[in-house]
Each structure stands twice: as structure tokens, then as C-alpha cells.
Amino acid sequence: GQNTIEEMALAAKDRGCSYLVMSDQLSLTELEASLPGLSPRARRAGVAQKLKDHAAQSQAVVRSILDMGIGLGAVENVRELWIGNAIGFSASAEIIELLAEIEGVDRIRPIVIEDAAAYQDVTPAPVPAPAFLAPAPAFGAASASYPFLEDFESGSLGSAWTVATSGTGYASVSADQSPNGAFQLLMASSVDNNASTASVTLSLDLTGQTDVGVRYQWKEFGDEDNPEDGVFVSEDGVSYFLVQALVGGSTGFVTKAFQLDEAVAELGLSYTSNFHIRFSWADNYDVPTDGFGLDDIEVAPGVGVPPPGVPEPNIVQLQAPQLWEAGFDGSGILIANIDSGATWTHSDLEARTWTNPGEIAGNGLDDDANGKIDDIVGWDFSANNNDPTSFDTHGTLTAGLMVGDGTAGAITGMSPGGTMAVCQIGGEFNYWEAQQYAMDIGADVISSSHSYKWPFVPKPDYSMHRQICAMELAAGIIHANSIGNQGLSLTTYPIPFNVSAPGNCPSPWNHPEAVQAGVSSVLGCSGIHVSDDSLYTSSGVGPAAWEDVTLYDAGYPHVQDPTYFDYPYGGFAGGQPGLLKPDVCTYTDSVMSTTNSGGYTTFGGTSAATPQLGGGMMLLRQVQPEAFPRHVDAAIQLTAFDLGPAGKDTRYGAGKLQIFDAARRLVTLGRAADRSPAIGSTLTLDVFGEAGATVFGFFSPELVVSPNDWNLVEPTFLFGVFPLDAFGEGSVSVPIPNVPTIVDVAAHLQFGATVIDSGSWGPGPLLSVPETIVFTN
């Protein structure tokens, strides 16, 4: 390795902050060649096992020294990173010196943890979660009849309600502040900067009732969170209990609901002839600075579940509801959210959060033998425990844009039927551990709004990011990543390192307008504004560079893999094209998502744009489970709505994500078992589509981005007709001519079929994305 004694001492300084990387790394090419003909999910398990076996063999001496050090008390916290043939540990300087002398050790580096905000690509800063305390003192009224509905359209509070206030608080019906209908109930302080409370209490005769639900409309005027903010119940008008907190809400009305039967049973209460339901507020300013709005309060059978949520405008503009209507909402697809953890108990996320089928909750055992005890919903890699819940709301916000299902009233997620594993991380090593975990649990998609930036000390380990993203691709995983918000800071974050890692890694598919070189799993995501599709100008700016980083920084501390010097830029002066990044854009700034306190709030930065791409990828993987990442990527980039300069560019990428259009390109799929067939051999093609369809295959030596979905340059040649069976599958063998002149020549294949299910996909042929093969000798 290229490690000095000083570097070893730095790595050992905090005892637990080192990682060691072996020089013997498996390549994407050899892994793909070793597992031919497997579907994406089958390949994931196969690749993971090969990586584990390879790391165990090549690290045998390293692990024996670490085991010895554990016995001596000089080593602890050993963490295997087989996805990159690496290992993390805490060790004394003497142990590190021993490890550095082992043949095959490439480098030993310190694990450096920055403040979490340095990794997150969000603007503005997130709001911390509140604490919930005891309710306000009791107050009651005479009973009203059941079922009950109050829409306040009389213009005043009816006799069913009792009002209680303190300070300068008030509760009154008003037509101000954009009511839901003609009138709404407002609770606020009539005098600014004066601590106040207000509550309205409804008393009902619920004796003998069952299936009692409560549903209402609520909005929040920028209110700070207080323990009095919520819905409380009492069986006697004396002791009140919180049943639903009203914190972290939306500035527009949202539907809130709960089953009163369940709440009463959990609290050990009973329905009485004078049962109390109280809506309470506390803060210190009048609307619109503080205050609550309430409307359409119902207490009746069957209303304890809110009506179907309404998709947010950004989700609509990215075409997700069109796919939901066609029957694709992400069901059966698993995404790993690599972020700050999440409050996955949010009502919009709880049913969408993964439950590890290999673990028995709470038994203190590692039932699935993955090295993690009781990892039921995911893992906290920063604290190395099974609770990835965080008070940093960043990860809850990204989660909502992936899978938020609208239980609380607003559908914020692109895949509201999908499933999310929660991964909480800190620095780079945690990030790589989370990528490994995603592969191990069988994730179909990874999305992360954390990234690692050029000014960091030390700078990002770019080769390691590239290597691990290549292993993801070998395993059939596709990965959405933020690219940073430093597009207006080109001095501190210079091109070609303005796009942060791993969003600067190549995507799975070579875009025809870009340099044709190496690939990996990652699509880097830029941002645009919801209002007009204009650029979020702080988005990272490409191109990126993959070449010797010492051209840019002579003191770059990491050993590099020359395999990844495949997209040179030529130093800060440029002169060569580099890697065209970003790949695609979605919406940011003023997009709504889930927050830790149970409501919704706006979110921005490429942190917000990226999970919409990740959630969209989930939909595509459901539409066509046989599609590899290269097919999903091609569908996304070929159907993106072009913005900015014509073609793929360094700000918008290929353009705005159009997820229904992308899905339509995956319904019919042609897949080559070997994309480097030898001349004179036979090529096997697997074809997928609608059950009973007839698929036609064409090829051309040239490829083009085209708005009409036909990507082959004329003249094209028909090479096969493929009838699909009742499962929508077919296979055919195609002979390759034994002609030496076609060696190293590319052939681009495209497949088309007539639509059978026109109700889902509309009229016109279903054209596949291109599949490229290169003939070999």
C-alpha cells in the first residue's frame, strides 16, 4: 500500500476509525460473466455470495491478525465490507503497522465523520422533532347527539361546543385565511408575542356505541410545536389523554382521522353518556404566523380512516398517478433509503416500511445470520444498532417522497405501494456498509440524498465509491443519488468535481450523446422548480471526471484504480469531455413530504429531487421485473422531457423524469444473455412482454435519441419474430455470422409489439429500449 506511518497513526488516533482495502477486487465484467442467464433478483444473491467468498479468501491473513488483536485487547469493532473487499476496525497503531505489511493490502485509511449536514443535499435546514407532554386541564359540556358533523357553515360555534382559553387565546369561526368552504374554526392568540392556549371540547353520548371514528380537516399556520397541540379524549371530563398530536402540519388543509374505539381501548377508557373530545392549541401569535384551522369535524361510524390521499403536484407532473391507474404502485418492490434514518412510524410510512422476514423481533438473536441482531426495519450503521429512527428529519422527508402513501391525507410518494428499508448513516464507510446491506437483503433500488464532496478532508475515496457501485450493478441494483447543491460555488467545488460522489459515478447505460466507457449503478439527479420546470440553479454541475485525481490535487491521499480512468477531463482546464452528468432531473423546492412529527412540510435541494427518482425506479421495476438496470436507465433517459440545451446536458441531464412514458418502454423487453457474443456462435435472446403478444426484433449499427421512441437509425433489419407464451415470455437463438470484419462492431437491437392491454398503455406499438451487443473474436 501507499500508507505512511503518519497515516497509520492518524487512522489509529481515535481507535475505531480505520478501514483497510485489499488490492484484489472483483470486476463487473467477470461477475456478470460468472452468472449468465439469471434474472435481476437471482443475480443479487449470487453476486453477494461471490463477494463474500472472495473477501473471506483474500482477507484471510488480515482477519487472523485482527482476531489476534481482539484477543490482546488491541482491536475491536471489526466490520466486514465484502462488497468492496475491505474491512473496518478499531486498532492500535502497532496492529495497523502489521496490517500494512501484508501482501495484497492496498491501503489503510482513517474513517472521518463530518457533521451530518455536510452530507445532506437539502435546503433549507430541517426542523427538529418536538416532544409530547401532558394535555391541558379538563373542561366539558353537555352531550350532543351521535353521529355528529360540524362544518361551521352556520358562521358560529354551536351549542355542542365548549371553549376554553388562557392568555389572549381565542377560538372562533371565521371566513378569513382561505377557509375550507365559507367558514372554518380558527384558534390563535389575539395579541402577538403573548403565550396563550385555546381549546374546543365536544361532548357526546356514546353509550354502547362501536365502530366510532373521528375525521376532520386541519391546517397549521407556521405554528411551533407545543404539548397542548392535539386531540384529547376523556370519559369523565376530568382526566384527558392525547390520542392524536397536531404538530408538524401542512399550511393547507389535510384530512386527519383515527379510530376512536382503538384509542379508547388502548387507554383503558369506556364510552359514557358524556364522552369528551377536545381539540387544543398553544402558542403566542395570531394567524397567519401561528394558529390552527379546523373544519368538517365528524364523529360517526366508518370515518376513522381518511379518504384516499391526494397526490402532490410534483408527483402528478412526473406521471406517477398514470402508472398507479394502470395497476403499478411499487407493490412488491424494496428500496433501501440510505440517509439519516427515518421516523418510519409516521402514518404514511408505517405500512410501507420493510419488515425483515428472517428476523424474530425482540429475541436478541441474529436469526438471519447477517451479523445484525433484530434488524427488523433496517440498521443504524452510525451507532451500529437496530434502531434507525432519527430526530434529524432529513431521512423522513426523503422516505415520504419514495413511498409516502397518503394515509394522513397527501400522497407524497412516487411508489405509495412500495416497501422501504431504513438505513441510517454518517460518513463514507457507513454509506458503503449500507450499500452492502441493501444488496444482502435483496433491495431492488437504492436511493440516497447523502453525498461526499470535493472540499472534504480527506477528499472522497472516489475509487471505492466507483468499485462498490460497480458491484451494485453486477447484482442488478439501480441507484438514485443526489449530486449536491454547490452549482453556484464553482470555486470551492470546481468542475469536474462539482457533482458529488457517488452521484458522479457512471450510470448503467451509455447515453448515445455521451462518451462510451465504463458503467455503474448510479443515476445522478438534478433539480427543477415545480412552478415552471426552471432549473434549481444550485444543483451540481457536470461533467464529472474519472482519471488520476493527482492531476487536480497532488496530495490526494487515496490509492486509485486505473481501471476507472475511463472518463478523462484533462485537469481543471478541461480539453476532454469527461463523464456527462447529471442524468435526469425531478422536482425540488416547495415539494411536500412527511416529517418526523407526523404531518407534512416542504423540502428542497437535490435531496428532495433524488427520492422522487428512486421511487420512480421502483415503479419501473414492478412494471418489468426482468429489466436490468441498463434497461431501466435507458427507459428513463430516452423518455425524459428535454429541458435546457437540446439533448443531454450538464445541468438538466437528459431532462425531466416522465415515469409513465418510461414504463411504456419496458413493457416489451429484449435481453441478450451474452452482450459480447463471439462471431460464429449462437446468441440467445430472452423476450418479455404482454401475454400472448407477438414481438418483432430489428437491429441497426447506429443508435439515436428520438422523441418517437424508435431509436435505431435507418436502414434497420428484421432479424426475428417472437411469439410470447401465456406468461409473456419467449426465447430464441440467433446465429452470429463468422465474419471477422464485424469484430468490435456494435449492433443495437430493438423490439416492438402491438398493444394488447390498450386500457393501460394506450394505442400504438409498445417499443422496447435498445439492447446493445458488441461482436468479439
Side-chain angles (χ1 to χ4, degrees):
Q2 299 178 6
N3 300 283
T4 66
I5 296 296
E6 289 79 13
E7 286 173 329
M8 295 175 207
L10 174 61
K13 185 174 78 170
D14 293 323
R15 289 292 300 276
C17 308
S18 307
Y19 69 94
L20 175 154
V21 184
M22 305 300 294
S23 57
D24 180 17
Q25 297 286 336
L26 292 178
S27 73
L28 171 63
T29 302
E30 64 186 305
L31 276 173
E32 288 185 330
S34 70
L35 297 165
L38 294 181
S39 67
R41 284 187 169 174
R43 180 169 285 182
R44 266 193 286 299
V47 167
Q49 191 58 55
K50 284 182 177 293
L51 290 168
K52 291 174 186 179
D53 293 344
H54 179 250
Q57 181 197 14
S58 62
Q59 294 178 21
V61 177
V62 168
R63 294 185 186 186
S64 68
I65 290 176
L66 291 173
D67 289 342
M68 176 192 70
I70 292 171
L72 296 172
V75 173
E76 58 187 357
N77 194 27
V78 175
R79 295 161 80 155
E80 296 179 10
L81 192 70
W82 43 260
I83 193 172
N85 200 7
I87 195 161
F89 52 87
S90 307
S92 66
E94 291 79 9
I95 292 291
I96 289 177
E97 189 168 0
L98 275 176
L99 293 171
E101 298 301 320
I102 296 173
E103 183 178 355
V105 171
D106 188 69
R107 60 193 182 274
I108 301 173
R109 298 302 307 146
I111 296 174
V112 178
I113 305 295
E114 298 273 351
D115 180 82
Y119 306 123
Q120 297 169 357
D121 296 320
V122 58
T123 51
V127 178
F132 300 124
L133 302 176
F139 198 85
S143 299
S145 60
Y146 173 82
F148 178 85
L149 170 64
E150 175 65 85
D151 59 10
F152 303 109
E153 293 306 299
S154 68
S156 62
L157 269 174
S159 59
W161 296 98
T162 299
V163 176
T165 62
S166 70
T168 52
Y170 68 87
S172 62
V173 176
S174 172
D176 295 336
Q177 305 301 328
S178 303
N180 187 36
F183 294 96
Q184 66 181 355
L185 176 72
L186 295 182
M187 294 193 289
S189 171
S190 61
V191 176
D192 285 348
N193 201 25
N194 190 35
S196 304
T197 66
S199 68
V200 291
T201 303
L202 172 66
S203 298
L204 291 171
D205 182 357
L206 296 180
T207 306
Q209 298 294 338
T210 59
D211 190 28
V212 181
V214 179
R215 181 188 295 171
Y216 56 98
Q217 297 284 323
W218 170 63
K219 71 175 179 178
E220 186 177 43
F221 295 94
D223 217 52
E224 296 173 326
D225 297 332
N226 288 283
E228 293 89 350
D229 296 341
V231 184
F232 301 84
V233 297
S234 173
E235 65 181 0
D236 57 11
V238 177
S239 299
Y240 279 80
F241 302 90
L242 176 70
V243 293
Q244 191 166 61
L246 294 179
V247 293
S250 171
T251 54
F253 274 110
V254 295
T255 301
K256 302 284 284 185
F258 59 89
Q259 290 285 1
L260 189 56
D261 290 8
E262 295 177 6
V264 167
E266 288 177 5
L267 293 167
L269 305 179
S270 301
Y271 287 140
T272 64
S273 61
N274 195 24
F275 194 88
H276 303 275
I277 302 172
R278 169 174 289 170
F279 297 84
S280 178
W281 165 89
D283 216 325
N284 56 353
Y285 277 81
D286 202 355
V287 294
T289 302
D290 288 337
F292 283 172
L294 291 169
D295 208 346
D296 296 338
I297 298 172
E298 296 177 82
V299 185
V303 302
V305 177
V310 177
E312 287 293 303
N314 53 302
I315 303 299
V316 174
Q317 293 184 58
L318 297 178
Q319 301 182 328
Q322 290 178 249
L323 264 186
W324 306 341
E325 291 170 9
F328 302 98
D329 63 359
S331 297
I333 304 300
L334 177 61
I335 190 169
N337 184 15
I338 300 178
D339 209 293
S340 64
T343 301
W344 53 271
T345 53
H346 187 293
S347 60
D348 286 13
L349 303 177
E350 190 165 15
R352 308 272 61 84
T353 300
W354 176 68
T355 299
N356 186 347
E359 284 289 332
I360 300 171
N363 70 352
L365 300 175
D366 181 14
D367 300 293
D368 58 3
N370 69 351
K372 294 169 175 57
I373 295 171
D374 288 340
D375 55 321
I376 304 301
V377 301
W379 195 256
D380 180 351
F381 295 93
S382 182
N384 200 27
N385 65 39
N386 60 10
D387 183 12
T389 307
S390 174
F391 289 115
D392 179 346
T393 197
H394 187 271
T396 306
L397 288 158
T398 57
L401 290 164
M402 296 173 201
V403 296
D405 65 10
T407 298
I411 303 178
T412 60
M414 290 287 287
S415 286
T419 304
M420 170 194 65
V422 185
C423 300
Q424 184 170 349
I425 63 166
E428 282 179 300
F429 192 83
N430 284 168
Y431 192 106
W432 303 328
E433 287 184 290
Q435 289 175 283
Q436 173 175 281
Y437 184 77
M439 185 185 296
D440 215 18
I441 65 174
D444 302 288
V445 180
I446 288 172
S447 184
S448 182
S449 294
H450 278 220
S451 67
Y452 302 89
K453 302 164 177 71
W454 175 256
F456 283 5
V457 180
K459 285 182 166 46
D461 191 342
Y462 290 113
S463 277
M464 192 64 156
H465 282 291
R466 179 77 181 269
Q467 173 67 18
I468 290 177
C469 290
M471 297 302 95
E472 285 179 346
L473 182 60
I477 298 170
I478 192 165
H479 179 153
N481 217 98
S482 56
I483 59 172
N485 302 327
Q486 54 275 347
L488 299 177
S489 303
L490 297 180
T491 301
T492 307
Y493 303 84
I495 296 172
F497 298 102
N498 189 268
V499 172
S500 47
N504 66 336
C505 291
S507 74
W509 177 70
N510 284 135
H511 194 284
E513 297 169 357
V515 172
Q516 307 295 293
V519 291
S520 79
S521 59
V522 181
L523 273 73
C525 190
S526 180
I528 54 175
H529 295 288
V530 180
S531 57
D532 59 3
D533 283 0
S534 62
L535 181 69
Y536 170 65
T537 54
S538 292
S539 294
V541 184
W546 286 96
E547 60 187 320
D548 187 350
V549 182
T550 62
L551 291 172
Y552 303 86
D553 179 359
Y556 183 69
H558 303 296
V559 176
Q560 302 177 76
D561 185 347
T563 303
Y564 301 135
F565 294 172
D566 52 346
Y567 290 96
Y569 185 69
F572 286 126
Q576 297 184 72
L579 172 62
L580 186 51
K581 282 279 175 173
D583 298 299
V584 69
C585 56
T586 78
Y587 289 112
T588 188
D589 281 359
S590 300
V591 299
M592 197 70 68
S593 191
T594 51
T595 191
N596 285 9
S597 53
Y600 303 100
T601 192
T602 54
F603 191 31
T606 61
S607 273
T610 299
Q612 294 166 75
L613 173 59
M617 289 173 172
M618 297 175 73
L619 297 175
L620 300 184
R621 302 222 79 161
Q622 183 189 10
V623 167
Q624 185 49 270
E626 295 296 334
F628 278 105
R630 65 182 182 272
H631 305 120
V632 176
D633 180 11
I636 288 170
Q637 294 201 55
L638 287 171
T639 61
F641 183 77
D642 194 17
L643 296 168
K648 187 174 181 180
D649 62 76
T650 58
R651 299 306 305 262
Y652 298 89
K656 179 177 70 172
L657 178 68
Q658 296 290 269
I659 204 66
F660 181 86
D661 295 343
R664 205 175 186 279
R665 297 296 301 276
L666 291 173
V667 177
T668 300
L669 176 72
R671 194 177 73 195
D674 179 3
R675 288 183 292 145
S676 303
I679 57 174
S681 68
T682 300
L683 174 66
T684 299
L685 291 171
D686 297 312
V687 184
F688 306 91
E690 294 184 292
T694 299
V695 177
F696 301 84
F698 300 85
F699 79 91
S700 169
E702 293 186 62
L703 195 63
V704 67
V705 176
S706 168
N708 65 8
D709 296 346
W710 185 247
N711 301 115
L712 302 186
V713 175
E714 299 292 344
T716 61
F717 305 92
L718 176 70
F719 68 87
V721 179
F722 316 101
L724 302 187
D725 61 20
F727 299 99
E729 299 177 1
S731 183
V732 68
S733 297
V734 179
I736 306 297
N738 192 5
V739 179
T741 55
I742 68 172
V743 172
D744 295 330
V745 172
H748 305 286
L749 316 180
Q750 192 167 9
F751 303 81
T754 56
V755 176
I756 293 176
D757 183 7
S758 60
S760 294
W761 301 113
L766 290 169
L767 298 178
S768 76
V769 296
E771 179 79 322
T772 299
I773 61 174
V774 178
F775 302 111
T776 60
N777 203 339

